């Protein structure tokens, strides 16, 4: 059964259609890469999947149930999200940010218990930022802040994890470590969707990748089948070579394609 | 991590501070009553003039000061979380100005329409709501404003409200110019138990909502979408909290006028000491704001021999420099751009 399923989903932002009748399935226990140019609708897809942007057509199902049937808190126990950017106007500590992931699990009085604290600590340790626990998120680096937000999503302990360009602020070692972590979660039965602009890294770690273009799925399947020079030319507007790498295809862009698509601008 | 025990211990300590401030404030005043005499009166062991002064004049006044201070301070903390901006404060944002304008409208038209003084609090509440809605309309659908826009909106709205108040008061023949002046600068001379009871009612309502939604406030500080993705019913929480702040600001302003900066100073100091978590910050802001305004009022009553300063002058003297200092801090502390 699918952890998350979008069927014929259309959505608009400010009257502008962003997703146009899109079908996509995140299977239980898989790591799915979501690839595509800027403005293709990747972030909107994640927002639709968590109900913060309404669908104009089609249906989203979470663990087989319609999204609309979930109260907010119940949904937050099913799906955890790491957004592209997080700004924090108050000096919360890294540990406090991680602990916020427990919010959908708290009881009436709203106090965390020892088990909640342990979940947050485990998440910080797993991401290698336990030493930063008491530092203000306003005083750590951008990458470390991003990891604190990933820790928050891990502490949420939801079966589905959606990561929106989680590697954007991270160095090479931490990018690889984060995708290894995603693989571990998947091996433990969770389902992870990761938005990425690093096609080769996605190809190396994902079970399947979906290529999004102009609000539709242009192709979905195993990385080796999806990532072909022809598709990359059409979808990204680049000429490229796809080489056989050690763990999957490696995409080497070589030039802009002639008649490259216009930038659509905005997420 | 915040545990119920740590929460209660901290609040108990702050409550002790408040009790100390109340006792101090009751024991001093222009009448030259000895502090020991005042405390005996408080315990019901004095009679005559001392009992009258303490129980009928000073006690209602300090309780009133505490309630107004708590209302303004909690409102400040709520605005800061909702607007995701540590510089927000009902006075700076013009919400107090809106409440004052509503109140003065009711007073000026009161004679014409046959409304009594009872129409002032609801009108002040309506004014506060109006100013808040205006603020969020300027902020746009996503509820996020740059600090500059936010502050400018407040400045402009305050200037407009003050001008309108003076204008209305003049044409309505509310000739007591001093009274209007005192109200514009904020004062606690209307400290009676009946008035304090009004403020207490709205404070209880507003504080109750804020404590109930305190964890949601933490998550809302991350932004509305992340909050929703962590299980917060964002629209409902915002509506409840905006009504709560408007109730508290409306009540406080309708009786004490434009006492400024309490909502900026107290939450800010408390955040420095206890961290930004709202489950502690919100009730602590109530106790801290109460303590602060009681002490400011004590200073206002005793600073001049033979007269009193409006308390708003004291809070502005303390708040103005702090505000400038906050503005000058590195921008990333005030506002972390994505």
């Amino acid at each position: 059964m699918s952890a998350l399923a979008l069927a014929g989903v259309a959505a608009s932002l400010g009257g502008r259609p962003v997703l146009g009748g899109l079908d996509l399935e995140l299977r239980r226990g898989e790591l799915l890469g979501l690839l595509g140019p800027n403005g293709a609708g990747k972030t909107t897809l994640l927002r639709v999947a968590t109900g913060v942007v309404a669908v104009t057509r089609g249906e989203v199902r979470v663990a087989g149930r319609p999204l609309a049937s979930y109260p907010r808190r119940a949904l937050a126990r099913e799906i955890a999200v790491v957004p592209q950017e997080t700004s924090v106007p108050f000096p919360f500590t890294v540990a406090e940010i991680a602990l916020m992931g427990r919010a959908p699990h708290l009881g009436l009085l709203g106090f965390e218990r020892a088990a909640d604290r342990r979940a947050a600590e485990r998440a910080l340790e797993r991401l290698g930022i336990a030493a930063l626990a008491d530092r203000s998120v306003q005083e750590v680096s951008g990458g470390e802040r991003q990891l604190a937000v990933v820790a928050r999503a891990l502490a949420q302990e939801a079966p589905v994890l959606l990561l929106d360009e989680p590697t954007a602020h991270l160095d090479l070692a931490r990018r690889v470590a984060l995708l290894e972590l995603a693989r571990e979660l998947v091996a433990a039965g969770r389902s992870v969707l990761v938005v990425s602009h690093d096609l080769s890294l996605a190809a190396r770690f994902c079970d399947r990748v979906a290529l999004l273009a102009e609000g539709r799925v242009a192709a979905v399947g195993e990385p080796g089948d999806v990532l072909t020079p022809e598709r990359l030319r059409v979808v990204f507007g680049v000429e490229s070579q796809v080489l056989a790498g050690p763990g999957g295809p490696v995409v080497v862009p070589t030039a802009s394609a002639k008649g490259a698509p216009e930038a659509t601008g905005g997420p | 991590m915040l545990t119920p025990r740590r929460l209660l211990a901290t609040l108990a300590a702050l409550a002790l501070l408040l009790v100390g401030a109340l006792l101090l404030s009751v024991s001093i005043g222009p009448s030259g009553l000895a502090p020991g005499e005042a405390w005996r009166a408080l315990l019901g062991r004095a009679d005559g003039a001392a009992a009258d002064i303490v129980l009928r004049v000073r006690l209602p006044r300090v309780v009133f000061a505490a309630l107004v201070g708590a209302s303004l301070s909690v409102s400040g903390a709520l605005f800061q979380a909702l607007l995701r901006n540590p510089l927000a404060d009902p006075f700076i944002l013009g919400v107090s100005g809106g409440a004052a304008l509503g109140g003065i409208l009711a007073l000026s038209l009161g004679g014409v329409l046959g409304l009594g003084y009872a129409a002032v609090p609801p009108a002040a509440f309506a004014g506060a709501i109006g100013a808040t809605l205006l603020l969020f309309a300027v902020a746009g659908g996503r509820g996020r404003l740059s600090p500059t826009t936010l502050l400018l909106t407040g400045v402009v709205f305050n200037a407009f409200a003050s001008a309108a108040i003076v204008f209305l008061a003049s044409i309505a023949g509310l000739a007591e110019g001093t009274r209007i002046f005192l109200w514009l600068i904020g004062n606690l001379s209307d400290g009676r138990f009946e008035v304090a009871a009004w403020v207490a009612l709205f404070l209880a309502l507003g504080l109750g909502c804020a404590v109930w939604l305190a964890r949601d406030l933490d998550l809302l500080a991350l932004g509305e979408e992340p909050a929703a993705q962590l299980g917060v019913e964002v629209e409902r929480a915002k509506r409840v909290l905006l009504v709560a702040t408007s109730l508290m600001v409306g009540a406080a302003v309708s009786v004490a006028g434009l006492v400024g900066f309490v909502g900026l100073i107290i939450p800010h100091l408390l955040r420095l000491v206890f961290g930004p978590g709202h489950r502690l910050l919100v009730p602590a802001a109530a106790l801290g704001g109460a303590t602060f305004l009681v002490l400011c009022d004590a200073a206002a009553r005793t600073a001049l021999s033979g007269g009193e300063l409006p308390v708003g002058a004291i809070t502005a003297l303390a708040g103005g420099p702090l505000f400038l200092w906050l503005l000058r801090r590195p921008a990333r502390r005030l506002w972390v751009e994505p």
Side-chain angles (χ1 to χ4, degrees):
Chain A
M1 190 164 62
S2 59
L4 177 67
L6 290 82
V9 163
S12 304
L13 291 179
R16 188 175 61 94
V18 179
L19 301 180
L22 172 148
D23 296 293
L24 188 67
E25 182 194 15
L26 174 65
R27 296 175 187 155
R28 278 225 172 118
E30 85 164 336
L31 176 52
L32 175 67
L34 188 60
L35 316 173
N38 299 132
K42 304 184 295 295
T43 299
T44 305
L45 191 153
L46 300 198
R47 295 169 76 198
V48 163
T50 50
V52 294
V53 167
V55 297
T56 49
R57 196 151 42 76
E59 193 189 40
V60 181
R61 295 179 88 88
V62 178
R65 273 173 57 196
L67 179 77
S69 72
Y70 284 90
R72 273 255 151 253
R73 263 168 70 89
L75 188 62
R77 288 192 291 263
E78 292 293 326
I79 304 183
V81 189
V82 174
Q84 248 175 59
E85 304 280 355
T86 300
S87 71
V88 186
F90 301 112
F92 285 106
T93 64
V94 168
E96 284 170 333
I97 293 290
L99 212 47
M100 286 183 189
R102 301 304 299 168
H105 300 277
L106 299 184
L108 248 186
L109 284 176
F111 286 99
E112 290 88 1
R113 296 158 180 275
D116 297 309
R117 193 182 61 211
R118 278 198 298 276
E121 281 168 357
R122 271 199 307 275
L124 292 176
E125 274 160 25
R126 184 59 193 80
L127 289 160
I129 51 170
L132 301 176
D134 295 324
R135 296 266 301 278
S136 158
V137 281
Q138 296 183 334
E139 281 158 4
V140 298
S141 76
E144 290 163 341
R145 182 156 62 238
Q146 183 70 1
L147 289 179
V149 176
V150 176
R152 182 185 81 198
L154 282 188
Q156 218 167 322
E157 291 182 338
V160 176
L161 183 60
L162 309 180
L163 304 165
D164 195 354
E165 292 184 44
T167 56
H169 294 284
L170 302 182
D171 59 41
L172 198 54
R174 279 177 163 162
R175 283 180 189 209
V176 172
L178 189 63
L179 284 161
E180 284 172 348
L181 168 65
R183 283 249 55 105
E184 262 177 49
L185 294 172
V186 164
R190 296 213 237 170
S191 316
V192 181
L193 186 154
V194 55
V195 175
S196 180
H197 281 302
D198 190 332
L199 307 190
S200 302
L201 203 62
R204 162 78 183 78
F205 285 98
C206 294
D207 299 306
R208 295 190 305 149
V209 294
L211 206 51
L212 213 60
E214 292 172 359
R216 285 198 170 78
V217 176
V220 59
E222 290 188 14
D225 298 335
V226 171
L227 299 175
T228 61
E230 297 73 42
R231 277 216 189 83
L232 298 179
R233 184 183 308 124
V234 173
V235 171
F236 285 98
V238 289
E239 300 294 345
S240 61
Q241 289 189 15
V242 180
L243 312 174
V250 175
V251 177
V252 182
T254 52
S256 296
K258 293 205 174 85
E262 283 175 46
T264 41
Chain B
M1 189 173 80
L2 183 68
T3 57
R5 173 180 277 183
R6 185 177 158 229
L7 177 71
L8 288 179
T10 311
L11 295 182
L14 286 169
L16 272 182
L17 268 181
L18 173 59
V19 169
L22 287 169
L23 286 178
L24 173 75
S25 191
V26 161
S27 66
I28 57 178
S31 64
L33 199 67
E37 189 75 8
W39 292 336
R40 267 196 295 284
L42 207 53
L43 295 171
R45 294 205 200 124
D47 42 36
D52 269 355
I53 289 172
V54 170
L55 298 179
R56 297 215 182 148
V57 179
R58 289 188 190 170
L59 189 60
R61 166 94 178 220
V62 296
V63 169
F64 177 59
L67 291 165
V68 169
S71 301
L72 294 175
S73 172
V74 172
S75 306
L78 295 186
F79 272 124
Q80 285 150 25
L82 285 172
L83 290 162
R84 310 186 63 217
N85 189 325
L87 287 176
D89 162 271
F91 177 71
I92 294 166
L93 295 176
V95 175
S96 297
L101 185 55
I104 215 81
L105 257 176
L107 269 188
S108 327
L109 299 178
V112 185
L113 301 177
L115 299 169
Y117 190 76
V120 173
F125 170 64
I129 283 264
T132 309
L133 290 180
L134 179 77
L135 204 64
F136 275 79
V138 175
R142 309 192 65 175
R144 256 191 86 163
L145 269 182
S146 79
T148 325
T149 316
L150 194 68
L151 299 180
L152 284 177
T153 312
V155 167
V156 169
F157 194 77
N158 269 334
F160 172 79
S162 303
I165 286 165
V166 171
F167 179 70
L168 277 172
S170 316
I171 56 169
L174 297 176
E176 313 148 81
T178 349
R179 218 189 120 97
I180 294 289
F181 165 76
L182 281 177
W183 206 52
L184 280 177
I185 200 160
N187 83 101
L188 298 168
S189 53
D190 200 14
R192 291 172 288 131
F193 274 130
E194 305 89 279
V195 180
W198 259 112
V199 183
L201 174 70
F202 288 113
L203 174 64
L205 277 173
L207 188 59
C209 293
V211 167
W212 169 47
L213 292 171
R215 189 54 172 163
D216 287 358
L217 282 166
D218 290 345
L219 305 177
L220 280 167
L222 301 177
E224 292 184 10
E225 250 179 61
Q229 288 166 338
L230 284 164
V232 178
E233 298 280 356
V234 171
E235 289 309 317
R236 186 190 66 179
K238 268 171 61 184
R239 263 199 305 276
V240 169
L241 291 166
L242 288 179
V243 171
T245 41
S246 301
L247 282 176
M248 289 186 286
V249 174
V253 169
S254 69
V255 293
L258 296 174
V259 179
F261 295 104
V262 180
L264 179 75
I265 298 170
I266 299 306
H268 184 77
L269 287 181
L270 292 171
R271 233 181 253 120
L272 282 180
V273 181
F274 301 116
H278 289 86
R279 287 171 295 186
L280 177 54
L281 183 66
V282 164
L287 293 167
T291 307
F292 176 71
L293 204 60
V294 165
L295 292 177
C296 285
D297 182 50
R301 282 187 291 126
T302 50
L304 299 180
S305 53
E308 71 169 67
L309 278 170
V311 75
I314 307 260
T315 61
L317 279 180
L322 174 79
F323 183 74
L324 290 180
W325 178 71
L326 280 176
L327 265 184
R328 277 186 55 86
R329 295 175 82 192
R332 75 194 160 91
R333 283 169 174 269
L334 290 176
W335 191 257
V336 183
E337 287 295 346

